[in-house]
Amino acid sequence: MKFSESWLRSFVATDRSGDELSHLLTMAGLEVEEVEAVAPAFSQVVVGHVLEVTKHPNADRLNVCRVDIGSGTPAQIVCGAPNVAVGMKVPCALPGAVLPGDFVIKVAKVRGIESSGMLCSAKELGIDADASGLLPLAANAQAGDDVRRLLDLDDRMLTLKLTPNRADCLSLTGIAREVAALTGTKAQFPAVASVAITGNAARAVALAAPAACPRYCGRVISGVDARAATPEWMARRLLRSGLRPISALVDITNYVMLELGQPLHAFDNARLQGTVRARMAQPDETLRLLNGETLTLSDDILLIADDEKPLAMAGIMGGNDSAITLDTTEVFLESAFFAPAAIAGRARRYGFSSDASHRFERGVDFAGTLRALERASELVVAICGGQSGPLSEALAELPARPPLRLRTARVARVLGVEFAPDTIAELLGHLALDCQRDGDDFVVTPPSYRFDLEIEEDLIEEIARLYGYDNIPSQPPRAMLSMLAQSEDSRPLPRLRQILADRGFQEVINFAFVEEAREADFADNRKPVRLANPIASQLAVMRSSLIGGLVGTLQANLRRRQNRVRIFETGRCFLRDQAGAPVAGFRQPWRLGGLAFGGAQPEQWGSPARAVDFFDLKADLEALLLPAVARFEKATHPALHPGRTARVVLDGKTIGFIGELHPQWVQKYELAQAPVLFELELAALLRARLPQFAEVSRQPPAIRDVALLVDYDLPLQTLLDGFAAHCPPPVQELRLFDIYTGKGVPDGKKSVAFRIVMQDTQKTLQDSEVDFAVQKLIDYAQQAFSAQLRV
């Protein structure tokens, strides 16, 4: 809701400053989203009366003007505007004036003629983009008057971000009521009296859908001048409320809508036939709207129609066949109450919206229908002339406003503040609610314009708003709390997140419901857990793997030209399970997944660029598992490359998988290269090994390197497991540091080099002991794997 601050202040005279007023409305739940100045700052611009215009002797497009600026002596000003004419009242910037953009006006010679000032267009004053000519001012403006004061250019435009329940504030009247209640001042609204009946023209109205339209009023005004000019004050208020003036009749209906909150519509009465009625649309009935669209309507659309044709989508938009034009001489003014349920969502169904539907679907004051019609009739007769006909009205059952009971004790319990009954009565009185005392309780009947007051808590919210949210004390919760013990045999989840973040990963959160195709691709899940009521048709199943969400996040990043992505996610997966699950038939394990794509390192000059690979992510995974050491065994997975995938085994149990994305899915999901992924059971990662004491040796270690020739197909893990099981006591560490194939190595063989670290806690090892331990390992490799010592 956008409106002019000066228009609001004409209804409620408050001494609060503009900023104080904005803060007051925001803290009362009517958030002021934007405040705009009507015009930028400028000074010394007055009304100038053009007395004489002559051609410049040295320039074809310039004129020399004598201008009355209210000082008694006319000023000579050179002007190039094409619309300058004798008798015009225009803005005149005097010497010394500062216009927007810090443009200073000085006495200067223009082609040899002295010019003492400048006649201004709207663009030069910063109030409009029109620079085609001078800004004409009202004919009754006095020469020398301040233009800022004349045009009310110190006004501001406020935009409220209203919640859907506050439809009563979609008008200046509603906002003024709020300001009056919040400041304790009295609002003064324009007096609206019944228009004198000066004509006999009338049109019958009827209700064929009384539940959707329980009240319909209309009036015929004959002999109107549709070409009459919209008054400057009305056009100004419309513009500052975000509406473009169109014609006097249309502008009057828009003005009353902004002023009272009641949308109106004007029909060309000469184009109507018979009775005007509110009815539901017939199947496949068509209507051409004012916006040029021709719609085929469903039978739940409420229409305004005459005896021959539909005239308008009720409460949404008028039809083109009954629209007023500049040649209209007789109008039928409509003012009605449409039930919110009959209007809500209908405009959006057809892909557009309107100011009227925005109000009607939230609720319009059903007691203000006649008042709005009388106000519009008054303005039409005053501006466009004509004879006002008698009122036509069709009335059914209006919405009930049942009384609500407000308990003083309940107010204190909900807000945490004790309120005396007299204080509550005073606050409710500011809202002008129909309120009756019943002991310490109150019986409140909501007014017709407050559709949001339905339960006791709604009234309590009103108490809180008027009392001031800032005045409600913030009390910290009080409870007996104890610090939970953190077991040494578990790691907190934030610690795992921190480890991954330290290694360059970013956490993502994806929906647990996914596309069925991704479940089939990445988890080979042909019977996923289905949602009974999905939020979207493509998100119809629950995930059984985190991989699909990670790949989707990768795609989103690639579309935004991010060429290096390292992400992880923790979350539940959902699988069918026949037994042993907390929920019968289902299992919901927590998992941790990660993905790396692009360069192994951020782009830099210090190292050559290369793509991230299996071993990069394996190193990240090993850092995540420390101090535990996992085994990586060749495996297959439906989402991963068949030759570059390993299962992760910890303490003899498979806890997840790591590998490159399958080439088939790389191609299907249009990825530039294969990302590397892992997915692990979170429970296994949260287990920690209890620390155990081990004596630190003070003796120097003995280090030997051994290179062995083994079969090319021999898994290294098998070799390492065998050494681990047959290490003699002095050996503290045995680490693979090189694999070589090529010149000097027979076909079908590979060279594997190990570093053997030996140390004793009690003594320095002798060479004989070291050689014996190394030879024992070599003998084991020769016997178990037919290894040969490479020399």
Side-chain angles (χ1 to χ4, degrees):
M1 174 64 186
K2 187 175 183 179
F3 61 93
S4 159
E5 184 181 327
S6 67
W7 190 5
L8 174 64
R9 290 182 183 275
S10 70
F11 286 169
V12 55
T14 174
D15 57 357
R16 304 289 183 99
S17 68
D19 291 340
E20 289 174 338
L21 185 62
S22 298
H23 178 75
L24 187 69
L25 288 171
T26 298
M27 295 310 298
L30 309 180
E31 180 185 351
V32 178
E33 186 177 29
E34 186 177 9
V35 178
E36 303 174 74
V38 168
F42 60 81
S43 62
Q44 298 188 52
V45 179
V46 301
V47 176
H49 183 198
V50 180
L51 302 176
E52 182 182 325
V53 178
T54 59
K55 284 292 182 183
H56 194 293
N58 302 320
D60 294 337
R61 296 186 179 182
L62 297 179
N63 295 297
V64 180
C65 306
R66 290 180 64 248
V67 182
D68 180 7
I69 57 175
S71 64
T73 302
Q76 178 176 282
I77 299 176
V78 177
C79 176
N83 66 332
V84 65
V86 174
M88 284 187 73
K89 302 287 182 67
V90 296
C92 178
L94 303 178
V98 181
L99 299 185
D102 292 331
F103 181 60
V104 180
I105 303 300
K106 301 177 181 178
V107 176
K109 285 191 175 183
V110 180
R111 294 288 184 95
I113 302 295
E114 186 176 278
S115 180
S116 300
M118 184 177 78
L119 304 185
C120 302
S121 67
K123 183 176 182 180
E124 287 161 339
L125 297 181
I127 60 178
D128 200 349
D130 184 14
S132 60
L134 301 179
L135 173 65
L137 302 177
N140 60 356
Q142 296 297 314
D145 284 354
D146 185 5
V147 167
R148 290 196 73 89
R149 184 166 55 252
L150 176 70
L151 299 181
D152 193 18
L153 297 183
D154 290 323
D155 188 14
R156 304 192 309 168
M157 297 176 291
L158 278 65
T159 301
L160 297 186
K161 185 178 182 181
L162 295 174
T163 52
N165 63 315
R166 293 310 306 270
D168 60 301
C169 290
L170 289 168
S171 68
L172 269 296
T173 299
I175 299 169
R177 278 195 299 254
E178 282 292 303
V179 174
L182 294 168
T183 59
T185 55
K186 186 174 179 60
Q188 298 289 338
F189 302 112
V192 179
S194 297
V195 175
I197 306 303
T198 57
N200 298 321
R203 186 166 297 280
V205 298
L207 301 178
C213 176
R215 188 171 203 171
Y216 192 90
C217 305
R219 165 175 282 143
V220 176
I221 303 178
S222 305
V224 299
D225 178 12
R227 298 180 183 272
T230 301
E232 189 274 336
W233 59 268
M234 180 180 288
R236 183 194 309 164
R237 287 179 172 178
L238 289 173
L239 281 169
R240 294 179 186 180
S241 299
L243 295 181
R244 178 176 57 87
I246 299 173
S247 67
L249 292 173
V250 174
D251 294 344
I252 288 168
T253 60
N254 285 335
Y255 181 84
V256 174
M257 178 185 69
L258 291 173
E259 183 179 72
L260 301 178
Q262 170 71 52
L264 304 171
H265 190 67
F267 298 98
D268 188 331
N269 192 56
R271 304 169 77 175
L272 308 184
Q273 302 294 328
T275 301
V276 173
R277 58 176 49 83
R279 65 170 174 83
M280 305 308 294
Q282 302 296 326
D284 298 328
E285 193 168 11
T286 60
L287 173 65
R288 188 181 182 197
L289 299 177
L290 289 172
N291 62 6
E293 292 186 53
T294 299
L295 304 182
T296 300
L297 307 173
S298 57
D299 58 6
D300 65 341
I301 299 295
L302 181 64
L303 292 180
I304 304 301
D306 61 13
D307 290 343
E308 293 186 354
K309 60 187 177 298
L311 304 175
M313 286 180 71
I316 298 175
M317 187 175 290
N320 189 70
D321 293 340
S322 59
I324 59 174
T325 67
L326 294 179
D327 297 323
T328 297
T329 59
E330 194 173 65
V331 299
F332 177 71
L333 277 179
E334 165 199 278
S335 180
F337 171 72
F338 302 114
I343 306 300
R346 306 306 195 275
R348 290 188 294 276
R349 181 188 305 174
Y350 292 99
F352 67 93
S353 63
S354 68
D355 290 328
S357 65
H358 184 76
R359 286 164 171 80
F360 277 122
E361 66 186 7
R362 286 161 172 78
V364 169
D365 181 8
F366 54 82
T369 307
L370 288 177
R371 174 181 169 85
L373 183 59
E374 295 290 0
R375 176 65 166 155
S377 301
E378 175 189 20
L379 292 171
V380 169
V381 173
I383 297 171
C384 301
Q387 297 79 46
S388 177
L391 177 72
S392 301
E393 181 179 15
L395 185 63
E397 185 177 355
L398 295 172
R401 305 303 288 151
L404 305 175
R405 177 170 290 274
L406 177 64
R407 297 164 291 174
T408 301
R410 179 65 175 167
V411 174
R413 182 176 179 183
V414 172
L415 299 182
V417 179
E418 295 286 344
F419 285 93
D422 290 344
T423 302
I424 294 177
E426 180 183 358
L427 293 173
L428 294 177
H430 289 167
L431 293 171
L433 299 179
D434 182 0
C435 178
Q436 303 295 326
R437 288 284 293 267
D438 183 8
D440 286 346
D441 295 350
F442 299 84
V443 179
V444 181
T445 301
S448 56
Y449 52 82
R450 290 299 299 270
F451 280 78
D452 59 313
L453 301 181
E454 296 181 331
I455 59 176
E456 184 180 23
E457 280 70 18
D458 294 332
L459 294 174
I460 296 175
E461 180 185 2
E462 296 301 293
I463 299 295
R465 290 195 316 110
L466 296 180
Y467 179 70
Y469 294 120
D470 288 346
N471 296 324
I472 297 176
S474 177
Q475 298 179 349
R478 297 180 179 180
M480 297 298 294
L481 300 177
S482 59
M483 182 71 73
L484 297 178
Q486 176 67 53
S487 174
E488 284 189 282
D489 61 355
S490 66
R491 294 192 292 177
L493 180 57
R495 175 59 186 150
L496 301 182
R497 292 188 173 118
Q498 188 62 53
I499 292 172
L500 289 172
D502 291 344
R503 298 187 72 85
F505 287 81
Q506 292 182 312
E507 185 173 12
V508 298
I509 300 175
N510 290 304
F511 283 134
F513 22 87
V514 297
E515 297 180 43
E516 189 170 358
R518 297 204 174 202
E519 270 297 287
D521 291 348
F522 298 124
D524 196 23
N525 186 5
R526 307 297 173 178
K527 294 183 179 180
V529 178
R530 293 192 174 277
L531 290 166
N533 185 24
I535 63 171
S537 59
Q538 73 273 19
L539 304 177
V541 300
M542 302 299 289
R543 68 187 178 192
S544 63
S545 171
L546 301 178
I547 294 177
L550 293 172
V551 172
T553 302
L554 171 62
Q555 288 180 296
N557 278 271
L558 293 179
R559 286 194 294 269
R560 289 158 179 80
R561 300 189 180 279
Q562 299 297 313
N563 54 17
R564 184 174 186 270
V565 179
R566 295 170 72 85
I567 54 177
F568 76 94
E569 179 179 12
T570 61
R572 285 194 183 277
C573 295
F574 302 84
L575 301 90
R576 297 185 181 278
D577 193 13
Q578 298 302 320
V583 179
F586 299 96
R587 188 162 53 89
Q588 305 174 44
W590 276 92
R591 290 182 179 167
L592 184 149
L595 177 148
F597 177 91
Q601 299 290 336
E603 188 173 358
Q604 57 170 307
W605 62 268
S607 61
R610 67 175 181 84
V612 67
D613 60 21
F614 176 94
F615 297 101
D616 293 314
L617 197 65
K618 178 174 177 285
D620 295 327
L621 196 52
E622 289 174 333
L624 184 65
L625 291 169
L626 283 175
V629 178
R631 292 165 49 87
F632 296 85
E633 300 176 353
K634 184 178 179 180
T636 58
H637 188 281
L640 304 178
H641 192 296
R644 300 174 184 176
T645 301
R647 68 169 56 90
V648 183
V649 180
L650 186 65
D651 296 332
K653 296 181 180 179
T654 299
I655 63 169
F657 292 85
I658 180 174
E660 277 189 13
L661 189 66
H662 198 292
Q664 180 181 356
W665 311 136
V666 173
Q667 181 178 10
K668 177 177 178 179
Y669 292 97
E670 299 179 347
L671 304 178
Q673 67 185 64
V676 190
L677 307 101
F678 69 80
E679 184 175 23
L680 305 175
E681 298 293 335
L682 187 61
L685 299 176
L686 296 178
R687 290 194 297 267
R689 301 186 176 218
L690 290 175
Q692 295 181 351
F693 170 77
E695 184 180 356
V696 177
S697 177
R698 297 185 180 184
Q699 310 302 323
I703 300 175
R704 298 290 187 272
D705 291 342
V706 174
L708 300 174
L709 292 175
V710 297
D711 291 339
Y712 184 83
D713 295 332
L714 177 67
L716 289 173
Q717 189 64 54
T718 302
L719 186 59
L720 290 171
D721 290 344
F723 280 148
H726 294 81
C727 276
V731 177
Q732 301 296 318
E733 181 183 0
L734 190 147
R735 182 173 70 251
L736 175 72
F737 69 86
D738 183 58
I739 300 176
Y740 172 74
T741 57
K743 184 177 180 181
V745 175
D747 292 340
K749 298 289 184 177
K750 60 185 174 183
S751 170
V752 290
F754 297 92
R755 174 153 292 176
I756 305 171
V757 179
M758 292 162 282
Q759 193 174 29
D760 192 285
T761 59
Q762 303 299 323
K763 62 178 181 177
T764 300
L765 294 176
Q766 302 295 320
D767 286 345
S768 58
E769 295 175 302
V770 170
D771 294 340
F772 176 78
V774 172
Q775 187 60 46
K776 188 173 182 181
L777 290 173
I778 294 172
D779 292 345
Y780 167 75
Q782 291 173 339
Q783 295 171 8
F785 306 111
S786 301
Q788 302 175 21
L789 184 63
R790 184 181 175 209
V791 294

